[in-house]
Amino acid sequence: MADIVVVFDFDKTIIDCDSDNWVVDELHATELFNQLLPTMPWNSLMGRMMEELHAQGKTIEDIVEVLKRAPIHPSIISAVKAAHDLGCDLKIVSDANVFFIETILKHHGIWELFSEINTNSSFVDEEGRLKIFPHHDFTKSSHACSTNICPPNMCKGVVIEKIQESMSKEKKIIYIGDGTGDFCPSLKLKQTDYIMPRKNFPVWDLICQNHKLIKADIHEWYDGQELQHVLLQLINSNIIISNEQDDDDNGDSTQLVTVDSKLHKIPVSAH
């Protein structure tokens, strides 16, 4: 078993789009969305957009069909399955919502591989209407993030701290993300952890600009195929080290997954 917790962002990390924008655009509600965007927080706006879409006659089945079409690189699915097979504990920390994430992951057969989903709450009511609520109720209190870049409904850094508190000390985190909201959890990672920012996306830019604040080892990725290669090499290298340090090895060591790629670390010149 690998003593590794792999934490994935969802939008533009597991799927290759923003699930909120995808649903709004595919159901032809982009103009209304853009009109309302300056008036309320994003998460609150998504709750409002579901009300508007249902009022226009869109059903929960319409939303499900749109979600099933959300683009996802096949290498991402392979990476998730391989990491799980290698004994990693897989979690999601996302500013999407439970219904969107669950629908997409179940469609691709990988929902059950994740032990924990940290995201905005949502449910389908008795009338078949999707309701979306914030992960953190910011109308009652602040989530106390000190970076001033996290949205009011969710601080991923706070979530990562809770995950760290629940872990045994020997376990390591590999955090994979792309957006501005993924920078705060990057600051919480230890020297033994890994951060995998998507190249040329907001979190990559923030890490390059603030490299000295990051304790974790940094490995960039560009697309689904590169994510798979980098992630599996990090997992394999840690399994090898763990096996070498195991004085009580009984010969039943974890089977490695073969990948043909070099690890991609952010060069010093990029900082």
Side-chain angles (χ1 to χ4, degrees):
M1 296 288 287
D3 287 329
I4 298 172
V5 177
V6 183
V7 181
F8 292 85
D9 175 37
F10 187 71
D11 292 329
K12 299 183 181 179
T13 298
I14 289 182
I15 60 172
D16 210 9
C17 67
D18 180 286
S19 57
D20 291 341
N21 287 138
W22 177 260
V23 169
V24 168
D25 293 346
E26 290 293 300
L27 293 178
H28 312 293
T30 308
E31 184 176 353
L32 177 60
F33 180 90
N34 290 335
Q35 289 175 357
L36 295 175
L37 183 56
T39 68
M40 65 186 77
W42 186 286
N43 176 255
S44 302
L45 175 55
M46 283 307 299
R48 171 70 179 278
M49 289 305 301
M50 293 305 104
E51 295 176 3
E52 296 290 341
L53 286 169
H54 288 306
Q56 295 173 13
K58 302 298 183 183
T59 67
I60 194 67
E61 289 77 18
D62 294 328
I63 296 172
V64 167
E65 288 307 309
V66 166
L67 290 168
K68 288 180 179 179
R69 299 197 302 268
I72 181 169
H73 197 290
S75 292
I76 296 291
I77 299 172
S78 299
V80 168
K81 291 179 177 178
H84 182 268
D85 289 344
L86 287 168
C88 296
D89 182 9
L90 309 184
K91 303 179 186 293
I92 289 177
V93 178
S94 168
D95 198 13
N97 67 81
V98 173
F99 186 83
F100 286 9
I101 294 173
E102 181 176 357
T103 300
I104 292 172
L105 295 185
K106 281 187 174 179
H107 176 63
H108 293 285
I110 54 176
W111 166 254
E112 299 295 336
L113 304 185
F114 292 89
S115 67
E116 186 177 330
I117 309 292
N118 297 276
T119 188
N120 298 298
S121 60
S122 57
F123 71 92
V124 180
D125 68 13
E126 295 177 353
E127 298 179 349
R129 297 172 179 266
L130 179 60
K131 305 290 186 179
I132 298 175
F133 300 95
H135 177 267
H136 172 81
D137 187 356
F138 56 89
T139 63
K140 295 182 178 179
S141 65
S142 167
H143 50 50
C145 175
S146 59
T147 65
N148 295 320
I149 61 174
C150 293
N153 62 292
M154 186 178 202
C155 172
K156 293 184 179 182
V158 170
V159 176
I160 284 296
E161 287 179 328
K162 291 180 179 179
I163 291 174
Q164 289 171 324
E165 290 172 1
S166 69
M167 292 168 43
S168 56
K169 292 183 178 180
E170 68 272 10
K171 287 195 174 184
K172 302 177 181 180
I173 291 177
I174 301 176
Y175 188 97
I176 311 170
D178 71 280
T180 301
D182 296 308
F183 181 66
C184 186
S186 302
L187 299 174
K188 309 296 183 182
L189 300 178
K190 301 177 296 184
Q191 287 183 328
T192 54
D193 297 328
Y194 303 89
I195 174 68
M196 289 178 54
R198 189 169 188 179
K199 187 176 182 180
N200 297 328
F201 279 70
V203 72
W204 185 83
D205 292 333
L206 285 167
I207 288 175
C208 287
Q209 295 164 13
N210 301 276
H211 182 258
K212 292 183 179 180
L213 300 178
I214 306 297
K215 298 177 182 178
D217 206 13
I218 306 168
H219 296 271
E220 66 187 34
W221 60 282
Y222 180 75
D223 58 15
Q225 184 175 13
E226 194 167 37
L227 181 153
Q228 179 186 23
H229 288 167
V230 175
L231 174 61
L232 295 186
Q233 283 206 347
L234 287 176
I235 295 170
N236 283 336
S237 63
N238 276 275
I239 289 174
I240 291 172
I241 293 172
S242 178
N243 287 343
E244 290 175 347
Q245 293 176 343
D246 187 3
D247 294 332
D248 298 322
D249 185 10
N250 59 6
D252 188 22
S253 59
T254 304
Q255 180 67 41
L256 304 183
V257 173
T258 302
V259 289
D260 183 18
S261 175
K262 295 180 179 179
L263 294 181
H264 296 266
K265 301 185 69 171
I266 292 183
V268 175
S269 59
H271 306 149

